[in-house]
Amino acid sequence: MAGPRPAASFRGPSAPVVSVVLGLAVVASSVGGGLGADSSAPFPWDRVRLPEHVVPLHYHLLIHPNLTTQTFSGTAAIDLTVTRQTSAVILHSKRLRVAWAAIGAQEARVLEHRALEQVALLATEPLQAGHNYTVTIQYAANLSDSFHGFYKSTYRTQEGELRVLAATHFEPTFARMAFPCFDEPAFKARFSVKIRREPKHLALSNMPLMKTVNINSWLVEDHFDTSVKMSTYLVAFIVSDFKSISKISSHGVKISVYTVPEKIHQADYALDAAVKLLDFYEDYFSISYPLPKQDLAAIPDFQSGAMENWGLTTYRESALLYDPEKSSASSRLWITMIIAHELAHQWFGNLVTMEWWNDLWLNEGFAKFMEFVSVNVTHPELKVEDYFLTRCFDAMEVDALNSSHPVSTPVEDPAQILEMFDDVSYEKGSCILNMLRDYLTDNGFKAGLVQYLQKYSYQNTKNEDLWDSMTNICPTVGSDKSEQQGDGFCRRNQQSSSNAHWTKGETLDVRAMMNTWTLQKGFPLVTVTVRGKNVHLQQEHYMKGADSHPSTGYLWHIPLTYITSKSDTVQRFLMTTKTDVIILPEEVEWIKFNVYMNGYYIVHYEDDGWDHLINLLKENHTAISNNDRASLINNIFQLVRIKKLPISKAFDLTLYLKRETQIMPVLQGMNELIPIYKLMEKRDMEDTEKQLKEYIVNLFKDLIDKQLWSDDGSVSERMLRQSLLLFACMRRYQPCVDKAEEYFLKWQKSNGTLRLPADVKTAVYAVGAQTSEGWDFLLSKYRQHSFSIDKSKIELALSLTRNKDKLQWLLDQGLRGDIIKTQDLPYIIVYVARNPSGYHLAWTFLKENWEKVVEKFELGSHSIATIVTGVTNQYSTRPQLAQVKEFFGSLEEKSAQLRCIHQAIETIEDNIQWMDRNFEDIKTWLQKNHL
């Protein structure tokens, strides 16, 4: 599953989950018409996880949705095998009305346990170990109103007619809303799907259509081929009036893109990208894609970014549809990455699946990492490698909190499982894999991956299975000779030079190293002290607000890399102890660790170490790479957070940005500086806030003035243009505002027919939305079909108005879901919360509509986390903290215990301390350093 939009990524499905008291025999309600069941019978099972002695082999599903009444009926016949004698079959079912059930030829009594989302079929005589049985269940249900299970989605045609379709989203625990099943990833089985529909509709599922049978004049039944062995969360079906375009990949797989009929002309880019990417993965993994087809379907209502259902991947429209005339460069990059992510899952996740959700990162961290490996080769012009480090910074943001969690964490119930779909599983997962790849080398890493995928195809794995596949692979260090020993382990030659002592001749233990990154939360801070030729190193757990938490005493195995003023050859050193020393061949002026930011750690340079680096940036910033400059900017501000450096030192470093032209350091500078004035906007600090805004504008003024108002340039130049112009216009930098106003008036005069350059639209719309008339005009375009590609840009612009009534209207509409689709509500709330005129509205809206929002997006989902964090993470006063604690403390325990709420409270506490400590110093520094 992929997050929906680069600005803020959220994922995952949703529905209120009742907390379960485990270990009690719970009285269950019996189900079904005239089964004569005794409703006080005890439910024969009391755990969230299903028993392991009944194993499904093959599901035969018949599903019949009615798009008019928005209901569906179904029959599930499940072939299963029993490994020890039992008199009940327990399986998952949620909001399904079971009409009738049988085990073999015998009718079975059915009990339901709503809190556990389970049903029990009671056999008339015990089922025998070693025997196979077929259970049959007939049931009916409503199409879901949320974004998961078998749910309804709608769109309007150009003529304004409302059309309904039905689509599925099952990950992680929602297949049970569409058919009774063993809804855990380790219960892999085959699926044969039949779907009844009206002749005017089209049905899709994971496998190709085999035949269509006429039931009567208004109903047909589609029979789909039997699937490979797979987990329930990957099953999918859609009933709609979509149109498609197709191509055959060079390996003979039929690839198609499906969209609503009027958007099919926006499907070409995705189709070409999917063909290239699927071919790349088949070659890279040396394993053929096992299905005859791969469909990519754009669903009008979709909560996350996309979903990797095997053979039928689904996407939100903005993650798949591209118009070369109207779409921005950032949109092209994002669409390519998401398709790469979902297609990587066809191997990582679908072919080889984690045994349980505690190791979700094996799916998501890998798919996130493979986006870079694949797109780098298939679309080199996108230069994806430039953007990798921001995801590591994003992960560190939450991973630095005490409320973070290890990459691999025990989870039980559906809300906890949903909470795993976060930056730690995705972003940190991909960053530690990238660090391992850098350590093992590309070829060594790839060999380990291929071994893992081949060994565990169609099976389920745990964390250690991956490390064991990597252990026989030798990393290569400099000219150091590695030799593979007869026992399959790598050893170094003893005489290796000191700078290459990854392993000092010891056995290379990937599992021991990677356990330090996956089984402990957080990441290390490495402190470097240079004494002549000796470089003293010390590691500790980096944690915000560490004063208030006892030390964890964690140690990591850190693959350190460094360059110096005397040598730009990357040197490597594996640090496995709390302190260590590197001896350099000669004394150096400066040393920079974590080259290209390939490692998931941050670095502090003691004594005058930072002064030398700040001086290097001032004198000759291109002596180190873009990524190295971006990581210095990030690290110095993180060190201010934990009181290792004064804020004035971090601001001294930013002065060099006046000469910076590259996207990553520029955006990193903005990412560190903008949030500081955002904190001030929510307090009465106007003078300093204004000075800081002026400082930032002046820092980037020369670069802003150089920007062309066109779509020329490389992808990174175009993306930088989009960010810089929006920033300059919002800070009321006059030359930018004048130009944007001129564009907006011309565009308005042409009634929206004038073609604006794609990458300057955001700035033009944002300036236009500042007047009441401009705002109303933008909204009228938003509602038109021809502007569907620009919807997200217009949403952002509309949310930048200072008019509180208009902001309130946006929030209310997002919840209603008519003009603004509810899938976009999380962004709308966060945009309004970031607006100085809107943050009170967003907080009140969240409090008043908490129940509705949870019902729609599901407790524990990434959408809920995005809203909670986005509304509160710029608070920095004690009264704001008290309000947040009071509201979330008043919710029932299930909500109050959400990790995102702990993170929000911790972030506000950290912001309060930060402002108390640094505000006066910033004020003084700005007065001294007028640009």
Side-chain angles (χ1 to χ4, degrees), residues 537-549:
L537 304 169
Q538 181 182 344
Q539 61 160 301
E540 62 192 284
H541 183 175
Y542 176 97
M543 202 192 290
K544 292 181 193 171
D547 315 352
S548 46
H549 309 298

Side-chain angles (χ1 to χ4, degrees), residues 586-845:
E586 55 187 324
E587 290 195 20
V588 297
E589 264 170 67
W590 56 263
I591 185 164
K592 161 77 173 72
F593 275 82
N594 202 354
V595 185
Y596 306 126
M597 180 74 199
N598 273 332
Y600 189 72
Y601 58 94
I602 67 173
V603 187
H604 176 37
Y605 302 91
E606 278 280 14
D607 303 336
D608 53 3
W610 273 108
D611 294 336
H612 288 302
L613 288 165
I614 290 170
N615 199 43
L616 172 70
L617 290 175
K618 203 158 72 189
E619 303 291 321
N620 180 18
H621 66 277
T622 54
I624 56 175
S625 72
N626 303 343
N627 280 12
D628 283 308
R629 301 197 298 274
S631 76
L632 287 176
I633 296 165
N634 168 274
N635 284 195
I636 201 164
F637 278 93
Q638 304 324 304
L639 292 165
V640 172
R641 280 231 174 246
I642 56 167
K643 300 189 255 195
K644 293 275 185 192
L645 286 173
I647 187 74
S648 56
K649 187 72 75 186
F651 269 77
D652 290 344
L653 183 143
T654 63
L655 284 164
Y656 106 88
L657 286 165
K658 194 123 183 70
R659 287 182 312 287
E660 184 58 85
T661 58
Q662 298 301 306
I663 184 166
M664 291 324 288
V666 168
L667 292 186
Q668 198 53 46
M670 289 179 152
N671 289 345
E672 300 299 346
L673 292 167
I674 291 173
I676 300 177
Y677 75 65
K678 283 290 182 191
L679 292 179
M680 296 178 186
E681 282 180 343
K682 295 177 176 52
R683 299 171 64 155
D684 191 17
M685 300 180 156
E686 258 178 50
D687 294 348
T688 311
E689 177 198 318
K690 196 160 160 269
Q691 276 185 304
L692 177 55
K693 287 174 176 172
E694 279 169 15
Y695 170 71
I696 305 172
V697 170
N698 286 330
L699 213 46
F700 298 116
K701 180 178 160 318
D702 297 346
L703 194 56
I704 293 164
D705 291 341
K706 284 197 192 104
Q707 297 306 309
L708 302 169
W709 288 62
S710 73
D711 285 338
D712 297 339
S714 68
V715 170
S716 63
E717 286 166 343
R718 291 178 59 184
M719 285 171 58
L720 181 60
R721 172 184 307 144
Q722 189 173 341
S723 297
L724 277 175
L725 293 181
L726 177 64
F727 167 75
C729 283
M730 288 300 45
R731 292 285 58 79
R732 311 301 297 164
Y733 176 56
Q734 213 48 53
C736 182
V737 174
D738 294 345
K739 189 109 185 186
E741 277 178 346
E742 183 192 334
Y743 263 109
F744 189 81
L745 289 169
K746 282 184 185 163
W747 178 69
Q748 200 175 352
K749 272 211 182 75
S750 75
N751 195 18
T753 56
L754 174 78
R755 187 189 168 274
L756 294 172
D759 302 304
V760 306
K761 275 180 196 168
T762 317
V764 172
Y765 292 163
V767 168
Q770 297 303 302
T771 68
S772 185
E773 188 199 353
W775 196 92
D776 293 340
F777 181 75
L778 268 170
L779 179 63
S780 70
K781 293 296 140 202
Y782 178 84
R783 301 180 69 165
Q784 282 178 15
H785 225 270
S786 50
F787 283 89
S788 63
I789 277 287
D790 285 349
K791 266 188 161 36
S792 58
K793 292 189 178 77
I794 298 176
E795 282 169 3
L796 173 61
L798 294 175
S799 73
L800 291 168
T801 176
R802 294 290 154 123
N803 180 320
K804 291 187 174 166
D805 292 340
K806 289 188 183 313
L807 292 173
Q808 187 61 49
W809 185 88
L810 285 175
L811 292 167
D812 295 340
Q813 286 303 321
L815 190 60
R816 271 191 57 189
D818 182 23
I819 296 171
I820 297 173
K821 282 200 169 278
T822 303
Q823 64 174 14
D824 293 341
L825 178 63
Y827 310 118
I828 302 279
I829 297 175
V830 174
Y831 292 157
V832 172
R834 286 181 186 160
N835 182 332
S837 307
Y839 70 98
H840 293 301
L841 300 176
W843 173 240
T844 305
F845 180 85

Side-chain angles (χ1 to χ4, degrees), residues 19 151 179 232 373 411 417 528 533 544 679 762 802 833:
S19 75
Y151 70 95
F179 56 95
T232 47
V373 176
V411 285
I417 292 169
V528 175
K533 290 197 283 190
K544 292 181 193 171
L679 292 179
T762 317
R802 294 290 154 123

Side-chain angles (χ1 to χ4, degrees), residues 394-410:
D394 289 347
M396 286 173 161
E397 186 81 10
V398 290
D399 207 18
L401 297 170
N402 189 39
S403 52
S404 185
H405 63 93
V407 168
S408 184
T409 303

Side-chain angles (χ1 to χ4, degrees), residues 89 140 201 206 210 233 254 365 389 406 518 562 582:
V89 174
H201 286 135
N206 306 78
M210 297 304 286
Y233 76 87
K254 184 181 182 185
L389 74 169
T518 57
Y562 61 92
I582 297 174

